[in-house]
C-alpha cells in the first residue's frame, strides 16, 4: 500500500518540511534570490510578503505601490512590491516570484511576546495556489507541484 508521499511524488510533487512554532504557526525556511530566510506558511495571507527591514537581506529591487495592506496587524499599511525574484523551498522553485513589502514589526513583536523567533516574511496563498499545495499536518510537511 502506498503512502501519501509516494503517491504525490509520482504526481510530480515536492515535499517541504515545516516546524510548528510556540504560537502554532507553520515555520519554513526558504530562499529568495539565493538568500535563506525564516517564514510563516500562512494559508490566510493572500500574498507572500516580507518586512521593509529585509529588502537588503534578500537583494530586492522594489517599487512603490498604491495598494494598502490589511491583515491581522491592521489596515491601510503602506506597501512596496518586488517582482521577478526567485523563490526556492527545498527542491521547489518559482523563478518569477513577486511579493509585497510592508512593516512586519507588529508580527515579530507578537512572536517575541511568546518567546518565538522573528521571521523575515510570510509565504501566502499565492504560492500555495501556484504550487497546488497539499498540507500534511500529521507529518509536518506540505507538498508543491
Amino acid at each position: 500500500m502506498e503512502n501519501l508521499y509516494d503517491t504525490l511524488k509520482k504526481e510530480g510533487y515536492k515535499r517541504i518540511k515545516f516546524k510548528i512554532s510556540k504560537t502554532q504557526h507553520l515555520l519554513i525556511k526558504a530562499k529568495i534570490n539565493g538568500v535563506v530566510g525564516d517564514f510563516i506558511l500562512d494559508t490566510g495571507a493572500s500574498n507572500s510578503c516580507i518586512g521593509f527591514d529585509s529588502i537588503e537581506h534578500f537583494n530586492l529591487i522594489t517599487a512603490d505601490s498604491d495598494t494598502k495592506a490589511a491583515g491581522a496587524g491592521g489596515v491601510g499599511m503602506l506597501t512596496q512590491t518586488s517582482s521577478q525574484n526567485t523563490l526556492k523551498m527545498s527542491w521547489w522553485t518559482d523563478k518569477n516570484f513577486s511579493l509585497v513589502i510592508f512593516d512586519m514589526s507588529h508580527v515579530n513583536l507578537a512572536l517575541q511576546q511568546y518567546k518565538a523567533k522573528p521571521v523575515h516574511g510570510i509565504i501566502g496563498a499565492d504560492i500555495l495556489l501556484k504550487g497546488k499545495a497539499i498540507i500534511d499536518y500529521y507529518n509536518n510537511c506540505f507538498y508543491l507541484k
Side-chain angles (χ1 to χ4, degrees):
M1 187 170 124
E2 281 193 349
N3 64 24
L4 180 62
Y5 172 71
D6 292 332
T7 303
L8 292 175
K9 190 174 176 185
K10 284 182 182 174
E11 293 294 320
Y13 279 86
K14 309 287 187 197
R15 177 168 56 181
I16 302 160
K17 292 279 192 184
F18 61 73
K19 292 182 179 172
I20 299 177
S21 73
K22 295 173 186 175
T23 55
Q24 300 296 305
H25 289 100
L26 308 184
L27 300 176
I28 61 169
K29 295 259 186 220
K31 284 184 181 178
I32 297 177
N33 301 329
V35 180
V36 176
D38 295 306
F39 294 85
I40 292 172
L41 184 67
D42 187 350
T43 60
S46 54
N47 292 94
S48 296
C49 52
I50 64 156
F52 286 123
D53 57 349
S54 295
I55 291 171
E56 285 184 28
H57 180 76
F58 293 113
N59 306 309
L60 300 177
I61 297 169
T62 63
D64 288 334
S65 172
D66 293 333
T67 305
K68 299 278 192 276
V75 294
M77 297 178 282
L78 294 173
T79 65
Q80 289 184 320
T81 59
S82 181
S83 57
Q84 297 177 327
N85 298 289
T86 300
L87 170 67
K88 187 167 184 169
M89 294 182 286
S90 184
W91 301 103
W92 189 88
T93 303
D94 179 356
K95 292 184 175 165
N96 190 17
F97 174 58
S98 296
L99 59 148
V100 174
I101 305 158
F102 74 109
D103 181 0
M104 283 193 52
S105 59
H106 63 283
V107 173
N108 283 319
L109 186 61
L111 291 172
Q112 286 174 336
Q113 288 176 342
Y114 288 93
K115 294 184 174 37
K117 289 169 84 177
V119 295
H120 292 100
I122 295 165
I123 300 297
D126 53 342
I127 292 301
L128 296 172
L129 289 164
K130 192 177 220 177
K132 299 181 169 109
I134 297 171
I135 301 175
D136 180 353
Y137 288 95
Y138 183 77
N139 291 303
N140 287 7
C141 64
F142 68 107
Y143 298 88
L144 295 177
K145 191 169 186 171

